[in-house]
């Protein structure tokens, strides 16, 4: 790298005047090391600081990722507060948020805190962290993020990063102001003192950066909203620069199971990596090294591999190099080895995805799928997909607009909106480079038309729909350091596709079922509309001497028998519910019915999206998938009940029609569930 | 709007009211109200060789109210019937478009219109014509005035005397309804009727006073001749025994226009009885003419795929089976060219008037 740079400058010089050639000695004098900090200062786009708007988002993102990682690793249910404030530049007055160019990003958590000595390094040294060297699922991977954010702040505003951290109520809080020495990639501590802090435990970091605050796509607001969908166990408070406070309450009260750290799997190792591991090995023999430094390699298997590679199992690992090492490497790759363990992964889980989607997105149908773990290049991963479909029931129920007749050539504005894809890697929302991401490509490649959703060639499916895709892996293959898109490994692509298909299949089922009821309703409806017209016209034809009421009644009677009569009323939920035919059903599929959805144990302060829902349940009875075996059966049985709104459940329209019975059951079920959850 | 003087009023109105009765009776019996509508398509049309006419068959489709696919059409049919009976009572005539506007409204408590475009109401009027066996004029619906006439012909229209020999080169615009109740032919001294496809060529002939020299009635329909023009030609043919000659472009569409004049159209086969002129003759442009009149090849136009497909279709029609016609069409296909009437101007502006038609008439060079 250094060399290349030197030559670059040299040629540039010679361009200006064809002066005497530069000697190797002179060139050598200019060649020197570049520190990572310097490199990233110049190449900040690699880390997601390309433009002020994205930079602001990246700062928030890095700080939130760190906060969540820390809390989860310490087994604490995260409470995170994000605050954006406008900062005045120089002596000019404070600008409104949409025009401001400088912001203070403050992120506070209730995590374990950071020991005093580590604080400067964590926040002011690039490539310093706990996550890079281990194979364990976490949001951060490289140890660049937060320090890069600090560096960006330093670069654009000259202000240091301010940190408060406290490891417990018995210790005192520390306040630090740090900057980074970009030449040396070392922290510079400006301020270090003990202070009073009202939090018993946790970390707060404040960075002043140049940025732009703009809502909409790929905004801080969207990022936090999506974070909350994929992390329903987090309580998130967001104070916008406009002074608003948004609360994302905790919807799920269990921490995701803590992922285990694993050793690398032999399939995921490159040759150079193997060489390095051989050099660093603590074991005395090769077979011992293979068995202890890799996962899924038993001593017997290690011996077998040595034998196959024609190396002595007793050989010293340090002595293996060159051609022998290469043979060994190829032998290892050719040996059949069990897939890596998957307890290093912590998927979000169908329940949690559902509750996240349900809470954040208003729709009529939700589903979620967790795939069984798979492996790419020796790295285990899990794909999860979710789907929220439809319009919010309350907005769907009211007529779209006052009845205004259309003129010729005018058309009703259709639902031409395309689906929205929300992507996650290790629970972190990905907001940029959607089109180069494996998840997005898989969404495009899925034939949604099979599931009753229209889709133009090479486009997203059309419809009011949010598609959720999550990849959990010990090492997520991003396409760049700024972690914006997932690389397209075949294994990953295949698993995403399978998960999406399952979601699509369930959606199709739901749509068909709903369509059936709706078409009956429509049939009835058009007849009712047209009867009026026909009767009036007949009356005029007969010179106004017709008893219109009688004719109308007669025709309506025929219409009713032609459209299935009372039976249709039942499917439409017309018998007990409101005047509009379709009930506000929350439809949950087999896996989804786990009940996690709306039953929020601390339901009092929750912003329930469907407050006026009369509580129709359209329960899908599908045989429970055996994949779900790891969940406790007792809990599951209880959780099987769908939409829980214990206050108002007037009637439940089920597929079969035995509505009253079902209603009782559900009501009881939900109560049991509530108590069950509380303990 | 002209007042009508028909006495048949009662009959048509009774037929329209019959539709209301159909609904009422069905409702009383708790049956689905259903009407039968003759099918207007080639599948339900046959060529009567003896009469030389296209005739409509007996195939019917039923239109039921309580069928999701037909409910709207049923409702629309009743609405149109209502509007038509209103015309009958008020003794007014109207256009297709006005019927559309008259019947268009938003259905109560919905955003749905009874009709969205005129394309929906037009076929329904035709449906009613066929199923009630009432002519469009009897339903008091007129089309646009779509043609012109000049010649030694005196008409009576709304009590006005129209002398078609004294109307300059513009002529008289043929109304869509030319039934004796509306237009009376007071006098006609012509020897034949020349029906020209194109308005431009009709203008040429009219300007050159061709009709005076050859004592004929010049008619044009500006393309596919509308009912009024066809009906007027038929009346001249029937009432004054005038032969009718048809002058069209030399292309498949020209041939078809001729056949419509002669035998009737597929869509309106039910009207052939009173529209068709089985003895009409095809005077030109024939595919033999370019050679005979030495039209250079470069004034021809290459037949496109559509032309060829259409020509092949014509070859299969029963009423084009005469050997002369098969030869005529095949000759065109073989040459691969079509010729417009206008191409005659290549030789001389007045070639049509001064050379082409005189020679055709003299040689009696026409196809039957």
């Amino acid at each position: 790298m250094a060399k290349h740079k030197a030559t670059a400058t040299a040629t540039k010089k010679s361009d200006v005047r064809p002066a005497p050639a530069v000697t190797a000695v002179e060139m050598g004098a200019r060649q020197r090391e570049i520190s990572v900090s310097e490199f990233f200062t110049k190449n900040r786009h690699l880390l997601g600081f390309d433009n002020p708007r994205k930079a602001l988002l990246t700062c928030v993102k890095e700080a939130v990722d760190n906060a969540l990682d820390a809390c989860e690793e310490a087994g604490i249910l995260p409470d995170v507060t994000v605050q954006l404030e406008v900062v005045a530049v120089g002596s000019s007055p404070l600008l409104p948020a949409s025009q401001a160019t400088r912001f203070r990003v403050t992120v506070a958590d209730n995590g374990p805190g950071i020991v005093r000595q580590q604080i400067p390094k964590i926040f002011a040294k690039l490539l310093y962290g706990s996550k890079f060297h281990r194979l364990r699922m976490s949001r951060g991977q490289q140890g660049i993020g937060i320090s890069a954010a600090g560096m960006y702040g330093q670069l654009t505003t000259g202000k240091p990063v301010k940190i408060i951290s406290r490891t417990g109520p018995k210790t005192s809080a520390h306040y630090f102001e740090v900057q980074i020495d970009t030449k040396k990639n070392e922290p510079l501590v400006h301020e270090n003192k003990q202070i009073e802090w009202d939090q018993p435990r946790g970390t707060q970091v404040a960075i002043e950066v140049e940025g732009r605050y703009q809502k909409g796509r790929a905004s801080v607001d969207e990022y936090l909203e999506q974070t909350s969908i994929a992390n329903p166990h987090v309580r998130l408070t967001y104070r916008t620069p406009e002074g608003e406070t948004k609360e994302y309450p905790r919807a799920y009260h269990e921490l995701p199971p803590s992922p285990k750290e694993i050793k690398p799997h032999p399939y995921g190792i490159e040759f150079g990596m193997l060489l390095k591991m051989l050099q660093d090995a603590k074991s005395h023999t090769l077979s011992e090294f293979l068995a202890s430094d890799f996962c899924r390699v038993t001593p017997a298997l290690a011996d077998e591999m040595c034998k196959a590679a024609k190396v002595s199992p007793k050989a010293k690992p340090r002595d293996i190099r060159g051609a022998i090492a290469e043979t060994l490497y190829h032998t290892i790759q050719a040996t059949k080895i069990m897939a890596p363990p998957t307890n290093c992964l912590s998927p979000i889980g169908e329940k949690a995805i559902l509750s996240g989607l349900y809470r954040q997105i208003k729709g009529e149908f939700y589903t979620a799928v967790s795939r069984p773990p798979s492996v790419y290049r020796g790295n285990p991963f899990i794909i999860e997909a979710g789907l929220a479909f439809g319009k919010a029931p309350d907005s769907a129920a009211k007529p779209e607009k006052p009845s205004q007749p259309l003129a010729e050539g005018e058309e009703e504005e259709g639902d031409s909106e395309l689906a929205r894809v929300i992507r996650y890697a290790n629970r972190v929302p990905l907001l940029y480079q959607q089109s180069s991401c494996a998840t997005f490509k898989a969404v495009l490649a899925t034939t949604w038309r099979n599931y009753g959703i229209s889709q133009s060639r090479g486009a997203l499916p059309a419809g009011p729909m949010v598609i959720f895709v999550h990849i959990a892996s010990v090492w997520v293959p991003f396409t760049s350091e700024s972690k914006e898109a997932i690389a397209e490994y075949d294994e990953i692509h295949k698993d995403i596709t399978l998960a999406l298909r399952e979601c699509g299949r369930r959606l199709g089922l739901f749509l068909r079922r709903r369509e059936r009821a709706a078409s009956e309703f429509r049939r009835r409806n058009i007849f009712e509309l047209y009867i009026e017209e026909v009767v009036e016209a007949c009356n005029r034809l007969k010179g106004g001497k017709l008893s219109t009421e009688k004719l109308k009644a007669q025709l309506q009677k025929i219409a009713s028998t032609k459209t299935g009569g009372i039976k249709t009323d039942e499917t439409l939920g017309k018998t007990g519910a409101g005047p509009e035919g379709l009930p506000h059903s929350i439809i949950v599929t087999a896996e989804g019915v786990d009940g996690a959805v709306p039953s929020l144990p601390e339901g009092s302060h929750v912003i329930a999206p469907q407050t006026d829902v009369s509580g129709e349940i359209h329960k899908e009875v599908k045989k429970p998938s055996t994949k779900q075996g790891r969940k406790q059966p007792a809990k599951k049985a209880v959780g099987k009940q769908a939409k829980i709104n214990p206050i108002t459940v007037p009637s439940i329209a089920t597929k079969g029609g035995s509505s009253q019975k079902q209603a009782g059951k559900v009501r009881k079920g939900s109560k049991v569930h509530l108590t069950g959850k509380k303990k | 709007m002209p007042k009508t003087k028909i006495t048949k009023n009662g009959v048509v109105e009774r037929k329209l009211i019959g539709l209301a009765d159909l609904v009422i009776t069905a409702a009383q019996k708790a049956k689905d109200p259903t009407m039968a509508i003759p099918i207007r398509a080639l599948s339900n049309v046959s060529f009567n060789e003896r009469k030389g006419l296209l005739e409509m068959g007996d195939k019917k489709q039923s239109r039921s109210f309580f069928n999701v696919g037909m409910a709207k059409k049923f409702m629309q049919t009743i609405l149109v019937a209502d509007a038509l009976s209103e015309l009958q009572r008020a003794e007014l005539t109207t256009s297709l478009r006005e019927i559309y506007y008259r019947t268009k409204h938003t259905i109560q408590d919905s955003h749905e219109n009874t009709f969205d475009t005129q394309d929906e109401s037009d076929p329904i009027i035709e449906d009613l014509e066929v199923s009630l066996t009432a002519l469009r004029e009897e339903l008091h619906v007129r089309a646009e005035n779509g043609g012109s006439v000049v010649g030694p012909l005196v008409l009576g229209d709304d009590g006005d005397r129209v002398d078609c020999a004294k109307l300059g080169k513009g002529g008289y615009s043929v109304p869509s309804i030319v039934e004796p109740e509306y237009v009376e032919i007071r006098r006609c001294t012509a020897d034949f009727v020349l029906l020209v496809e194109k308005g431009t060529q009709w203008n040429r002939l009219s300007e050159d006073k061709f009709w005076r020299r050859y004592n004929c009635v010049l008619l044009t329909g500006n393309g596919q001749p509308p009912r009024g023009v066809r009906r007027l030609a038929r009346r001249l043919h029937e009432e004054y025994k005038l032969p009718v000659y048809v002058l069209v472009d030399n292309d498949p569409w020209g041939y078809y226009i001729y056949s419509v004049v002669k035998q009737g159209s597929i869509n309106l086969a039910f009207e052939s009885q009173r529209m068709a002129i089985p003895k009409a003759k095809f005077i030109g442009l024939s595919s033999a003419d370019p050679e005979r009149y030495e039209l250079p090849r470069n004034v021809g136009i290459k037949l496109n795929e559509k032309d060829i497909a259409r020509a092949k279709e014509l070859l299969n029609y029963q009423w084009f089976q005469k050997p002369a016609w098969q030869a005529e069409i095949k000759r065109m296909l073989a040459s691969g060219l079509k010729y417009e009437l206008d191409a005659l101007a290549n030789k001389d502006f007045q070639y049509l008037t001064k050379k082409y038609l005189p020679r055709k008439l003299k040689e009696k060079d026409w196809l039957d």
Side-chain angles (χ1 to χ4, degrees), chain A residues 399-410 412 519 522-543 546 550-552 554-563, chain B residues 13 16-17 19-21 23-24 26-33 65-69 71-75 78-79 81-83 85 89 97 100-101 104-114 116-118:
Chain A
E400 301 106 49
K401 49 180 164 176
S403 112
Q404 192 184 1
L406 290 175
E408 205 175 314
E410 251 183 349
E412 204 97 46
S519 79
R522 207 178 313 127
R523 266 174 73 179
R524 171 86 57 84
N525 212 11
I526 56 175
F527 292 155
E528 266 169 20
L529 286 177
Y530 297 165
I531 283 172
E532 191 79 22
E533 291 290 330
V534 168
V535 167
E536 286 305 314
C538 283
N539 186 31
R540 285 193 298 269
L541 275 166
K542 295 295 274 180
L546 201 64
K550 192 174 142 209
L551 182 59
K552 214 182 288 177
Q554 284 167 337
L555 289 173
Q556 270 159 359
K557 207 173 143 204
I558 305 173
S560 166
T561 53
K562 290 266 174 192
T563 51
Chain B
E13 196 178 348
L16 290 168
I17 294 172
L19 287 176
D21 289 328
V23 176
I24 296 162
Q28 272 163 2
K29 292 184 188 155
K31 289 250 169 66
D32 189 355
F65 187 18
F66 293 110
N67 173 315
V68 189
K72 185 160 192 183
K73 266 204 162 164
F74 188 95
M75 179 268 293
I78 300 284
L79 284 181
D82 173 36
S85 93
R89 282 196 299 273
R97 188 116 185 110
Y100 159 63
Y101 282 128
K104 177 170 188 163
H105 58 259
T106 304
I107 299 170
Q108 245 181 18
D109 305 325
S110 79
H111 312 154
E112 202 180 332
N113 286 322
T114 49
D116 282 318
T117 62
Q118 196 187 333

